[in-house]
Amino acid sequence: KLYHLKGKEVRRRTNALLEQFDLTDSANRPAKTYSGGMRRRIDLACSLIGRPYVLFLDEPTTGLDPHGRMNLWKIIRQFVTDGVTVFLTTQYLEEADQLADKIAVINHGRLIAEGTANELKSRVGGDVVDIQITNPSLLHKSAELIAKFGALAPHIEEATNRLTLPVNGGAKILPDIIRQL
C-alpha cells in the first residue's frame, strides 16, 4: 500500500522477489525463525518491492555465506543492468572491485581516493594473488606457507576462506605459490 501497488501486483512482485532471493521455501515461516543471512536477504527484497530508481546498500553481504554473497552480487548486477543506480558501502575491496563502476575511499570521514578499481589499483601498484581455500581448516596453514612470497603478510578473510597476498611480479610468482600450496 505504501508503494501504491494493487493486490495482484504486490503478490506478483513478492513471489518474484522471494524466488530471486531464494526464499520461496521459507515464505510462510515467521521471520523470527530466519537465519541472519535470510534476514539480510528479506530486508533487501522488501526494499525492492517498489522498484526504486536509486538504491542505497550499506554492507549488504556482511554475515552472508559465500553462496549467499555471490547470489547477492548477481542480483545487484542485475539491478544495475535494469537501470537502478546503486550506492554501495562495503569494507570488502573484492566486493567493490566486482560491483562498482566508481569507488570512493573514505578514511575518518575524509575522501582519500576516488576512481575506477583499475585506476585505484594502478596508483597503489603491485599485484595481488587472491586464493580461495576449499578446506577451512587449512586457511591459516596456507597463509603461513605463502607468506614468504608476499610483499606484505597475507590477509586472511575467514568468512569466505580467502587469502589475499600482495606480491611483486604476480604472474611470474604464481606458479611458485601454487606449488607451495
Side-chain angles (χ1 to χ4, degrees):
K1 288 181 180 180
L2 290 173
Y3 292 111
H4 307 288
L5 298 175
K6 304 287 187 235
K8 287 182 181 179
E9 177 66 7
V10 169
R11 281 188 292 283
R12 192 184 69 68
R13 287 287 296 147
T14 300
N15 290 334
L17 288 165
L18 286 169
E19 185 175 325
Q20 187 175 21
F21 284 89
D22 196 25
L23 292 166
T24 305
D25 293 341
S26 305
N28 294 319
R29 285 182 26 209
K32 67 181 179 181
T33 66
Y34 285 11
S35 68
M38 291 171 77
R39 288 179 188 190
R40 299 224 16 113
R41 291 182 306 193
I42 199 72
D43 284 345
L44 185 55
C46 287
S47 69
L48 298 172
I49 290 279
R51 298 183 189 265
Y53 295 105
V54 178
L55 184 61
F56 290 87
L57 299 175
D58 184 21
E59 308 261 353
T61 62
T62 299
L64 293 182
D65 60 63
H67 173 73
R69 187 176 184 207
M70 294 301 134
N71 190 44
L72 189 51
W73 285 7
K74 180 179 167 187
I75 292 167
I76 292 169
R77 284 188 193 102
Q78 186 60 51
F79 294 153
V80 173
T81 300
D82 293 344
V84 177
T85 299
V86 178
F87 287 90
L88 171 74
T89 62
T90 183
Q91 294 186 36
Y92 300 120
L93 295 178
E94 176 191 18
E95 189 162 84
D97 191 23
Q98 290 290 321
L99 298 175
D101 293 328
K102 189 173 182 181
I103 299 170
V105 180
I106 299 172
N107 186 18
H108 298 290
R110 298 188 70 203
L111 180 67
I112 61 169
E114 185 178 5
T116 66
N118 287 336
E119 288 169 349
L120 293 174
K121 287 178 198 175
S122 71
R123 286 184 218 157
V124 174
D127 295 323
V128 175
V129 174
D130 186 28
I131 302 168
Q132 176 77 46
I133 303 297
T134 56
N135 183 342
S137 67
L138 297 175
L139 186 63
H140 289 277
K141 179 65 176 171
S142 299
E144 290 173 23
L145 289 171
I146 66 169
K148 64 184 176 189
F149 298 104
L152 298 171
H155 172 73
I156 300 170
E157 190 175 316
E158 295 196 33
T160 59
N161 298 321
R162 295 185 88 81
L163 298 174
T164 307
L165 182 68
V167 297
N168 296 318
K172 293 178 185 174
I173 203 165
L174 186 58
D176 295 331
I177 293 172
I178 292 170
R179 275 191 287 280
Q180 184 68 42
L181 290 171

